[in-house]
Amino acid sequence: MTSSTGRSLLELTEGADMRGLAAAGLGCLDRCLPLLAADRNDALRPVWAAVARADAAAWGEALGKALVELDGPPAEPAGAAVRERLAAAPRDWTPEALRAWAADCSATALDAHGRYDTADLSEDLVERCRAGDPAGAGPLLAGELRRQLAVLDAVAHGPTGLRRARELSVEGGRVLRAVVSRRARTA
């Protein structure tokens, strides 16, 4: 699966600017928030505001506050990896640091979604999806891949794409929240 520009997730990440990388990584974590804290849907809103302003100082401060707000045991086992990625967010906005972090967030989100498709998700599948080959991906993994591509496409158009990136993250969070809730009811 490739984006509307015909490029893979890896290619789009490589070409993204700092604001795009921050939004891409943050979007992945925002969509996975139900795994970390089921009742804190807007905990990352101030971090999004810092991305919109491209304000690295506000970014670091907002990340710190979000980590405090999201402290506690994760709602789901995969939530621990989401917290780790959030804590690992680079406080300095350098292309190298943000690119590595966004790539880690991407893999974490794809892995988490894929595990709700199947318990025996291979790491190979996540990496193949990121490279543009989603063959074998279940519906949740494929949906997360589509959202990641759409976020990178949206933010490539500048600050105006951030609204679309945030909308995609809210939508993805709702999908994952419903899956987690449904699984809890049947367990």
Side-chain angles (χ1 to χ4, degrees):
M1 177 176 304
T2 55
S3 71
S4 61
T5 62
R7 295 169 46 199
S8 74
L9 191 55
L10 295 175
E11 292 168 323
L12 289 172
T13 302
E14 188 59 35
D17 65 9
M18 289 190 296
R19 185 186 318 220
L21 293 166
L26 182 59
C28 290
L29 301 181
D30 203 4
R31 288 186 298 280
C32 290
L33 208 53
L35 303 175
L36 182 55
D39 60 344
R40 302 242 168 65
N41 303 337
D42 287 336
L44 299 179
R45 184 180 295 266
V47 188
W48 279 105
V51 172
R53 294 189 309 270
D55 185 339
W59 158 268
E61 184 179 325
L63 282 168
K65 288 179 181 177
L67 281 166
V68 169
E69 183 177 341
L70 296 169
D71 193 26
E76 291 286 315
V82 175
R83 179 178 289 117
E84 287 172 15
R85 293 285 68 75
L86 191 58
R91 298 315 195 249
D92 326 336
W93 274 30
T94 64
E96 300 79 22
L98 283 170
R99 189 166 285 109
W101 177 71
D104 288 346
C105 291
S106 168
T108 296
L110 291 169
D111 182 72
H113 282 77
R115 293 201 183 281
Y116 280 92
D117 281 331
T118 178
D120 60 345
L121 177 72
S122 72
E123 199 167 300
D124 172 61
L125 178 57
V126 168
E127 287 310 307
R128 282 191 299 106
C129 285
R130 294 185 71 233
D133 176 15
L140 287 173
L141 177 55
E144 174 59 14
L145 179 60
R146 279 192 304 274
R147 285 182 191 90
Q148 288 188 25
L149 289 165
V151 164
L152 283 163
D153 275 344
V155 297
H157 300 293
T160 57
L162 286 174
R163 166 175 256 147
R164 178 69 182 138
R166 176 80 169 117
E167 289 169 356
L168 287 162
S169 294
V170 168
E171 169 195 317
R174 278 192 210 120
V175 169
L176 191 54
R177 191 171 298 105
V179 169
V180 169
S181 177
R182 184 172 37 246
R183 186 169 281 188
R185 283 192 309 266
T186 60

